Amino acid sequence: MQSPHEHTREDLQKVFDEADCLCDEAQVQEAIDRMAAALRTDLADQNPLLFCVMNGGLILTGQLLPRLPFPLQAEYLHATRYRQETTGGILEWKLRPDVDMQNRTVVIVDDILDEGTTLNAIADYCRAHGAVDVRTAVLIDKQHDRKARPGLKADYTGLEVEDRFLFGYGMDYKGYWRNAPGIYAVKGL
Ligand SMILES: O=P(O)(O)OC[C@H]1O[C@H](OP(=O)(O)OP(=O)(O)O)[C@H](O)[C@@H]1O
């Protein structure tokens, strides 16, 4: 893995400056509004347990939660399979959930469903630990035919985006630009 010091500030700024903006801030905010409306309709009376999938799920979770004004518990878990790379590997659990999910409705919130391996594994883990209803919510569904199962979808999807390497709104390029205020595709990737 490269150390962050191998990327100069100038190189990182160039990645941002040369990237294609696929969805701007207003489009992302509208998508989060739509997701929140659907979650309110479906789950307001379910007392759900919501998991933020660190690190990428941080921004979507932070923006969804204040739009869900009903009783829920918010927790986090940490699983990763891309590390600083642009292709996924074996899923590594960095922090498994430490909360009783027996008979609970669980909502898993992440930035992106790419191949879907990460969300599948987390959903399976929650079911195996007693969750009765597991819902998945992602800001981005990347369009390609490499899904872990054909036709795999999240229960709540913000935006469908073309098959490029993305950053922004939680998604990183080499550990950077999770903070980019929109959905961007790296030049050439
Ligand atoms: O659908 P998949 O192909 O499994 O990819 C999606 C996962 O990849 C990213 O996480 P990553 O492993 O990069 O960790 P991060 O959240 O810390 O960036 C993203 O946040 C999702 O959790």
Side-chain angles (χ1 to χ4, degrees), residues 109-138:
V109 180
D110 208 349
D111 49 357
I112 180 167
L113 191 160
D114 191 329
E115 294 174 2
T117 304
T118 304
L119 274 189
N120 264 353
I122 295 168
D124 286 349
Y125 182 95
C126 293
R127 284 189 208 97
H129 285 77
V132 282
D133 186 1
V134 179
R135 311 276 178 114
T136 51
V138 292

